[in-house]
Amino acid sequence: MKKLCLLVAACACILSAADDAILIRDVTVHPVTAPVIEHGAVLIENGKIADVGSTLQTPSGARVIDGHGLHVYPGLINAATNVGLSEISSLRDTVDLDEIGTFNPELRAEIAFNPSSEHIAVTRASGITTVVSLPGTGGGISFSRNQQPTVIAGQGALMHLEGWTWEDMAVKPSAVMDMDFPQIRMVPAEYAAFIPGGARTYQEEEKAYNENLRQVSRFFEDVRRYQKAKAAAGPDFRRDIKLEAMLPVIEGKQPLFIRAEKEKAIKDAVAFAEKEKVRIIIADPTEIGSTGPLLKSHNIPVVLGKTLELPLRDDDPYDSRYTLPNDFYKAGVKFCFGTFDVEFARNVPFEAAQAVAFGLPPEEALKALTINSAEILGAGDQIGSIEKGKIADLILTDGDPLQAKTNIRQMFIAGREVSLESRHTREYEKWSKRP
Amino acid sequence: MRRAFLILWAAAGSLFGQALLVRNTTVLTVTKGTITNGDVLVENGRIAAVGKNLSAPSGAQIVDGTGKFLMPGIIDCHSHTAIEGGVNEGTVSDSSMVNIRDVINPTDINIYRGLAGGLTVSNVLHGSANAIGGQTIVIKLRWGKTAEEMLFEGAKPGIKFALGENPKRQGYPSSFFSQGPAERRYPGTRMGVEQVIRDSFIEARNYQADWKEYRDRVARGEHPIPPRKDLRLEPLVEVLEGKRYVHAHCYRSDEILMLLRVADEMGFKIRTLQHVLEGYKVADEIARHGAGASTFSDWWSYKIEAYDATPYNAAIMTRKGVVVSLNSDSDELQRHLNLEAAKTMRYGGLSEDEALAMVTINPAKQLGIDDKVGSIEVGKSGDLVLFDRHPLDNYSKVLKTWIDGHEYFDRDKDLSERTEFARKKKELMDKEKAAAKEVTP
């Protein structure tokens, strides 16, 4: 019986088939890449945006939605999550993150993306239609000294938050290569007690860092040798899946998604990209330092983590993380927002909003949740704005989607209306009715 | 001595404290509606008048609030900020003898950061390692003052309880899949957690009876030997006598109900259920017991007991008559509890006043300090926060925070001092580098 209910619920998710035409009219359209259209309309056909304008003809047989003053935005994008790969973060059995090994470029997040994860619907509820799901969580402070830190965690995928299988859901599989760049991370004194053998001294950390850098260089040398060997080899060439998986990176087809927290790590990563001639994205920086001009001149984009974070150092300004997105904006660096987690992936609009409170222009915050995200992830021609020919990922709201008090009323992913119900609303419905 | 000092300090404050008039602003009183173009006057640390076109006493500091929003100081019913050293005394299952009051660090920078987010009062608690944790206190974030001066005068102290996964973690056996703790400590199940609490209160009641008998005999002119003083049982007796509040960390509906029943049986009250993520399933029972619920806005799924959490929790419990607050449990989250409150408008459709109450008057009620703080009303403390936009607007930020009418945060001042701080820091760093060079051969 329970199974049957679930099945019915799953079917109810998809209210209309993708090939139906839908006209959404009498709405304020926020195309993001073009000026706002008051009393505008959006036409969806075959899962794509067929037209956008002030007055659109209703094709025969099209479903018509009268927005009555509601707003239409492109579906929001969270550019860094672990959604689909982790259900209950404290229970390892439900978590498929951080595989064993230092270099794991052959791992692909999309193939372990659980299409039945409860997090998918919960994340959607905030107007998010697409996420990047990453195979790693970054090194952070390693509490286990016995294990080599992971440098390359695998490939992150750009996933729609709707579909029957991970294949259906993948907008861009293998979108990025998730890499934790070697950096010196001192363990704060208060955590030293939790680490077997105690915290390492700066000199020890520095030694490990230099060794890690050498390892990374060696690995890239191996990849280049492999590339040459493969080009020169005959039909009996034996493939190595690890090195093979790196070819798109060194050929510039797949960006390295480099987690670099501090100024030095960012500089190291940029120098590394120059030396190896690879495309990179800087991920989850906690400060900009003097790297603004460097990132701008090298045209390197940034995926920011949470804005609502504590300052890096005790004597940093209290709002140093709140102003960080605006710091990147002022430096002319292209950026977008992510959350680097699962359970709060739905709060990415609020992370962007906090940056607005501390100086970022609101239209830039919206771009950093839509078009910038799409472009940085190499899907700028598919999603991220309301433009003719793009995938019809749309949300109908009663206000600014960056505001908590705004309600997301309807959602379309690839032209299909998607339910905004989730585990959370189901509990609400059920228990509100308890006599 | 301590008390004498406090009185002296309070007297000095009222003697020398400058009056404050915030003028022509949107006053969000929380309990008495919203006044547009309103004024609030603070004298001797207390709100002296709320209205329109108030006149300033001579020498008063006048703040122009035009286009801005004034709300009561934000109250966090679950904080670990300013605790020096460990938050848990996790070695025993009942650690009621330890006291947070002894380990308040008034120089914790997170106090200032809280003020910069409009926070003025925190309920500072132990962690959740044991079924009965330690004694808790309420502080006002009087940055720059001593730990003693930060104590909220007249606020009842509390004690931390914890149910569910955290207190039983030390009791897990190793399994095929996971390594248990090196040394197991009772309890390892929810059933055991109940027994720890029950046992301790049976002991406390016996202890209370022993002292009563002793005092009765003394009153009768006898000379009995007094019972041995027990620092673990003393605070539990205070709980039985209503002198100390119980703040209980909990998640699942079964354990919430269990605790309410143990409390009923032993004859004490649960003042607040903390986190209480499944409170929405037993909201009627919570309301009937009279416990408050202090929850998260939207935390979920970080452990199995948080998997049935829903952000609609606060709304359901509110509708069922529970006094609900939203807390931080975090140095970071305490900086924007107003934004946490805003989420209750999306998740359950609470009104603006209901949302603001979640972080002001409701936590004040839960801590028994609602006669002193939690709303903008005449006679209450001059704990006020000035925002540049409505505090439930995600684009808002705090401009000024006052406690007892004293300014503890001012954004303009903070901004203007940064250059000087940077210069001082550089000077110190240069000195350090120069000294290091001298040492190097």
Side-chain angles (χ1 to χ4, degrees):
Chain A
M1 181 59 209
K2 196 184 258 176
K3 247 182 207 158
L4 187 69
C5 286
L6 277 178
L7 195 68
V8 171
C11 293
C13 278
I14 295 161
L15 299 175
S16 57
D19 51 0
D20 284 351
I22 303 168
L23 181 73
I24 306 168
R25 66 182 184 197
D26 191 18
V27 283
T28 307
V29 184
H30 301 258
V32 178
T33 46
V36 172
I37 309 164
E38 308 277 352
H39 304 291
V42 183
L43 178 66
I44 303 172
E45 274 176 341
N46 301 316
K48 297 271 172 70
I49 296 165
D51 211 350
V52 190
S54 300
T55 47
L56 297 181
Q57 291 283 328
T58 314
S60 66
R63 181 185 160 203
V64 176
I65 297 170
D66 277 305
H68 298 302
L70 294 178
H71 299 258
V72 178
Y73 290 87
L76 306 181
I77 302 167
N78 186 330
T81 77
N82 300 118
V83 169
L85 295 170
S86 171
E87 196 65 18
I88 298 171
S89 48
S90 69
L91 293 181
R92 181 66 211 181
D93 297 5
T94 72
V95 178
D96 290 290
L97 298 169
D98 300 322
E99 183 54 272
I100 297 165
T102 308
F103 296 99
N104 290 326
E106 72 281 17
L107 304 183
R108 292 180 297 147
E110 65 266 17
I111 61 96
F113 189 96
N114 176 8
S116 300
S117 168
E118 299 280 3
H119 288 276
I120 293 170
V122 166
T123 306
R124 275 201 306 251
S126 295
I128 298 162
T129 52
T130 318
V131 300
V132 169
S133 203
L134 297 162
T137 59
I141 293 158
S142 174
F143 288 106
S144 167
R145 294 297 190 197
N146 309 326
Q147 206 180 304
Q148 271 285 89
T150 296
V151 174
I152 293 181
Q155 301 171 40
L158 187 62
M159 305 295 290
H160 261 157
L161 292 181
E162 199 276 331
W164 296 96
T165 69
W166 59 259
E167 270 180 325
D168 294 346
M169 298 168 91
V171 180
K172 193 178 163 81
S174 301
V176 295
M177 185 65 81
D178 186 357
M179 179 175 187
D180 190 29
F181 205 78
Q183 46 204 306
I184 296 175
R185 291 187 174 106
M186 292 305 293
V187 177
E190 60 262 41
Y191 296 126
F194 297 108
I195 295 168
R200 289 195 290 205
T201 62
Y202 182 82
Q203 283 72 19
E204 287 167 335
E205 288 288 350
E206 195 180 31
K207 204 178 144 202
Y209 158 78
N210 286 323
E211 177 50 34
N212 288 342
L213 278 184
R214 272 193 294 277
Q215 270 200 50
V216 171
S217 290
R218 274 201 297 273
F219 183 69
F220 274 78
E221 277 167 32
D222 287 348
V223 174
R224 295 204 187 274
R225 288 198 193 99
Y226 180 81
Q227 185 189 33
K228 276 187 200 155
K230 194 187 175 190
D236 59 342
F237 180 72
R238 291 195 184 178
R239 289 173 62 204
D240 177 305
I241 55 163
K242 252 187 216 304
L243 300 174
E244 186 94 22
M246 284 299 290
L247 295 180
V249 171
I250 61 163
E251 286 163 5
K253 291 175 190 155
Q254 186 187 39
L256 279 176
F257 185 90
I258 300 187
R259 296 161 191 261
E261 283 170 34
K262 295 186 192 168
E263 182 182 18
K264 177 164 171 29
I266 297 170
K267 285 182 178 169
D268 279 358
V270 175
F272 174 78
E274 248 190 328
K275 180 180 145 243
E276 298 291 347
K277 295 184 182 57
V278 291
R279 275 203 300 140
I280 65 166
I281 297 167
I282 294 293
D284 207 10
T286 54
E287 64 178 349
I288 186 167
S290 59
T291 66
L294 183 70
L295 293 171
K296 185 176 188 242
S297 65
H298 287 72
N299 217 4
I300 295 171
V302 172
V303 174
L304 292 169
K306 289 177 184 155
T307 311
L308 291 160
E309 286 284 354
L310 287 171
L312 194 55
R313 304 170 192 87
D314 268 7
D315 59 353
D316 281 348
Y318 79 93
D319 59 358
S320 61
R321 299 298 291 271
Y322 300 161
T323 57
L324 187 60
N326 196 35
D327 293 341
F328 280 105
Y329 172 65
K330 283 188 297 188
V333 177
K334 191 168 189 168
F335 68 93
C336 64
F337 287 100
T339 53
F340 295 85
D341 71 351
V342 182
E343 58 260 39
F344 298 117
R346 67 191 140 138
N347 285 347
V348 74
F350 309 147
E351 305 294 341
Q354 185 70 0
V356 174
F358 285 80
L360 183 68
E363 58 277 11
E364 292 301 324
L366 182 62
K367 277 160 74 179
L369 292 168
T370 53
I371 190 64
N372 285 4
S373 327
E375 287 176 357
I376 289 170
L377 300 163
D381 55 339
Q382 291 175 279
I383 56 172
S385 61
I386 304 180
E387 285 179 82
K388 216 169 156 173
K390 282 199 172 178
I391 297 172
D393 292 353
L394 302 167
I395 51 172
L396 252 85
T397 72
D398 56 13
D400 180 350
L402 276 65
Q403 293 285 351
K405 64 184 169 201
T406 296
N407 292 292
I408 313 298
R409 299 290 190 84
Q410 273 174 295
M411 174 181 279
F412 300 86
I413 293 182
R416 288 187 294 266
E417 183 167 7
V418 178
S419 167
L420 289 169
E421 279 182 14
S422 69
R423 187 180 179 89
H424 293 169
T425 59
R426 288 196 299 276
E427 298 285 12
Y428 177 50
E429 297 295 327
K430 177 180 169 183
W431 291 91
S432 291
K433 291 188 194 112
R434 186 189 158 193
Chain B
M1 177 58 209
R2 191 180 275 166
R3 189 163 293 169
F5 175 75
L6 266 181
I7 291 166
L8 200 72
W9 176 78
S14 60
L15 276 176
F16 303 116
Q18 192 186 12
L20 166 74
L21 180 68
V22 186
R23 204 172 240 176
N24 193 35
T25 195
T26 302
V27 183
L28 305 161
T29 69
V30 180
T31 47
K32 308 246 157 140
T34 297
I35 306 164
T36 47
N37 308 111
D39 299 352
V40 175
L41 176 68
V42 181
E43 279 182 314
N44 300 321
R46 286 174 195 276
I47 297 169
V50 183
K52 292 195 178 206
N53 307 313
L54 300 179
S55 52
S58 66
Q61 186 203 350
I62 296 172
V63 175
D64 179 20
T66 307
K68 302 182 175 94
F69 293 79
L70 191 72
M71 73 173 281
I74 294 171
I75 300 171
D76 186 358
C77 198
H78 191 122
S79 170
H80 304 297
T81 300
I83 296 177
E84 177 74 55
V87 170
N88 281 300
E89 176 50 68
T91 50
V92 287
S93 14
D94 174 357
S95 65
S96 52
M97 71 296 277
V98 298
N99 197 332
I100 284 292
R101 187 186 164 132
D102 299 330
V103 288
I104 288 292
N105 169 14
T107 65
D108 182 350
I109 188 66
N110 291 307
I111 297 171
Y112 180 75
R113 289 170 177 166
L115 286 163
L119 186 73
T120 52
V121 174
S122 293
N123 186 27
V124 191
L125 312 164
H126 282 102
S128 48
N130 23 30
I132 299 181
Q135 300 164 47
T136 67
I137 55 148
V138 182
I139 61 168
K140 279 205 172 189
L141 306 190
R142 295 179 181 119
W143 178 244
K145 302 279 197 277
T146 66
E148 203 64 45
E149 288 162 350
M150 283 192 184
L151 300 183
F152 192 121
E153 307 84 355
K156 210 176 263 190
I159 188 162
K160 175 81 178 274
F161 284 15
L163 315 177
E165 289 179 28
N166 293 11
K168 75 193 184 95
R169 192 164 289 141
Q170 288 295 310
Y172 290 158
S174 296
S175 75
F176 184 76
F177 296 105
S178 68
Q179 186 76 42
E183 260 183 69
R184 289 172 69 187
R185 186 210 73 196
Y186 188 92
T189 67
R190 284 183 168 79
M191 298 174 287
V193 171
E194 191 230 22
Q195 284 306 301
V196 168
I197 297 168
R198 182 188 295 272
D199 267 354
S200 291
F201 275 92
I202 289 171
E203 278 185 79
R205 281 168 62 150
N206 291 339
Y207 180 72
Q208 185 188 31
D210 290 348
W211 274 97
K212 186 178 180 302
E213 193 197 341
Y214 166 74
R215 289 194 189 103
D216 287 350
R217 288 180 64 186
V218 169
R220 289 200 297 270
E222 297 175 30
H223 300 282
I225 298 169
R228 184 179 170 186
K229 202 168 179 73
D230 189 320
L231 295 182
R232 182 174 66 87
L233 297 175
E234 293 269 324
L236 300 185
V237 170
E238 288 172 0
V239 168
L240 288 168
E241 291 173 353
K243 294 172 187 158
R244 181 175 291 280
Y245 289 149
V246 175
H247 303 294
H249 159 120
C250 55
Y251 279 78
R252 254 169 43 183
S253 66
D254 46 18
E255 67 200 22
I256 295 165
L257 199 53
M258 171 279 283
L259 184 66
L260 299 180
R261 295 300 169 254
V262 170
D264 289 345
E265 179 197 339
M266 294 292 161
F268 67 92
K269 288 283 176 197
I270 304 300
R271 185 69 185 188
T272 70
L273 294 158
Q274 297 283 336
H275 311 325
V276 60
L277 295 190
E278 285 188 20
Y280 67 94
K281 295 182 181 177
V282 283
D284 289 322
E285 286 83 353
I286 296 171
R288 274 201 293 277
H289 180 88
S294 187
T295 187
F296 295 126
S297 61
D298 61 355
W299 291 28
W300 83 294
S301 83
Y302 44 98
K303 46 185 175 172
I304 192 70
E305 65 184 2
Y307 201 46
D308 260 12
T310 169
Y312 296 86
N313 189 31
I316 300 178
M317 290 192 290
T318 301
R319 297 283 174 253
K320 299 247 182 182
V322 180
V323 174
V324 182
S325 68
L326 293 175
N327 67 51
S328 81
D329 197 8
S330 147
D331 288 338
E332 202 294 307
L333 226 156
Q334 62 155 356
R335 312 200 293 159
H336 47 89
L337 281 169
N338 54 307
L339 302 181
E340 298 304 296
K343 291 176 186 168
T344 60
M345 297 169 73
R346 172 180 289 185
Y347 300 120
L350 294 191
S351 69
E352 287 190 351
D353 272 351
E354 282 176 317
L356 288 174
M358 293 277 159
V359 295
T360 53
I361 191 68
N362 288 3
K365 284 177 184 168
Q366 294 176 340
L367 295 170
I369 50 177
D370 52 314
D371 57 332
K372 300 183 182 74
V373 291
S375 62
I376 300 182
E377 289 180 72
V378 172
K380 287 198 178 183
S381 295
D383 294 7
L384 302 167
V385 193
L386 190 68
F387 281 82
D388 62 344
R389 301 167 76 114
H390 194 291
L392 298 171
D393 179 333
N394 284 70
Y395 299 155
S396 68
K397 64 176 167 296
V398 172
L399 301 175
K400 283 171 185 289
T401 305
W402 295 272
I403 296 176
D404 312 319
H406 292 262
E407 182 185 286
Y408 281 92
F409 172 75
D410 176 68
R411 181 163 162 83
D412 286 339
K413 202 177 281 174
D414 183 289
L415 289 171
S416 66
E417 281 170 355
R418 287 181 192 184
T419 333
E420 177 60 10
F421 279 143
R423 191 193 61 76
K424 271 187 191 161
K425 185 177 174 178
K426 192 179 175 298
E427 201 177 283
L428 286 168
M429 300 271 278
D430 289 348
K431 218 171 172 182
E432 185 81 14
K433 275 181 201 156
K437 237 176 234 163
E438 272 171 34
V439 175
T440 318

